[in-house]
Amino acid sequence: MTSYVLLGTALLLALLSPWSGRRIRRHRAEQDRRTAAEHYRKQLLAATDHAITTAVRAQLAEPVTDLRIRPPMRVTIGDVIARARDDFALEVPKGHAAEMLRHRLEFRGHARWPDLITDAFDDEEDQTP
């Protein structure tokens, strides 16, 4: 009797093995895709923050000749793309860089600065009807 149970269990496992193998491979592929997307997002976020920090430091390094005139802070989509390429060897589409730059400028409070010069918000204005 025990041998029939073992034989039946072995047969059931043999029948289910291809199905469960595909399911496991699909699950692992989905996990790999999510991990890669999160890694890409974190690298783009770091590159954007580095570009903004570089722009802020450049603005603060400008000599002050007139207290009424403050030098503008310049950060562009190209700065983000270049920083991602240089720091992480990451090729970033212009749309992703613009979206992340807008997000980080707003998050860090720079989006409302009157002396901010950026092209991150140009695409957003063009898309609004």
Side-chain angles (χ1 to χ4, degrees):
M1 184 72 169
T2 305
S3 61
Y4 289 122
V5 172
L6 289 176
L7 182 62
T9 304
L11 183 59
L12 182 63
L13 287 175
L15 290 173
L16 292 177
S17 180
W19 179 80
S20 63
R22 280 191 301 258
R23 187 171 169 219
I24 290 169
R25 284 190 298 276
R26 246 191 342 254
H27 178 71
R28 287 184 183 159
E30 180 64 22
Q31 278 183 325
D32 291 346
R33 187 194 62 75
R34 286 182 188 163
T35 301
E38 182 64 17
H39 186 66
Y40 170 81
R41 190 191 69 75
K42 285 181 179 179
Q43 286 182 328
L44 180 56
L45 183 111
T48 305
D49 280 342
H50 291 166
I52 293 170
T53 300
T54 301
V56 169
R57 288 180 181 167
Q59 179 194 27
L60 294 175
E62 289 287 323
V64 177
T65 55
D66 188 354
L67 293 177
R68 294 172 288 159
I69 300 173
R70 187 172 173 182
M73 182 178 93
R74 291 180 180 91
V75 61
T76 65
I77 296 169
D79 295 337
V80 174
I81 292 172
R83 185 62 98 156
R85 185 182 55 246
D86 295 345
D87 290 356
F88 303 109
L90 187 66
E91 291 300 320
V92 178
K94 187 177 178 181
H96 290 181
E99 182 181 341
M100 185 61 77
L101 183 57
R102 281 190 301 269
H103 168 70
R104 294 310 290 173
L105 285 171
E106 290 169 0
F107 179 80
R108 292 173 63 155
H110 297 299
R112 292 193 172 96
W113 283 18
D115 55 352
L116 171 67
I117 297 175
T118 185
D119 57 354
F121 295 98
D122 294 345
D123 295 338
E124 188 177 70
E125 292 170 359
D126 293 341
Q127 293 175 1
T128 307

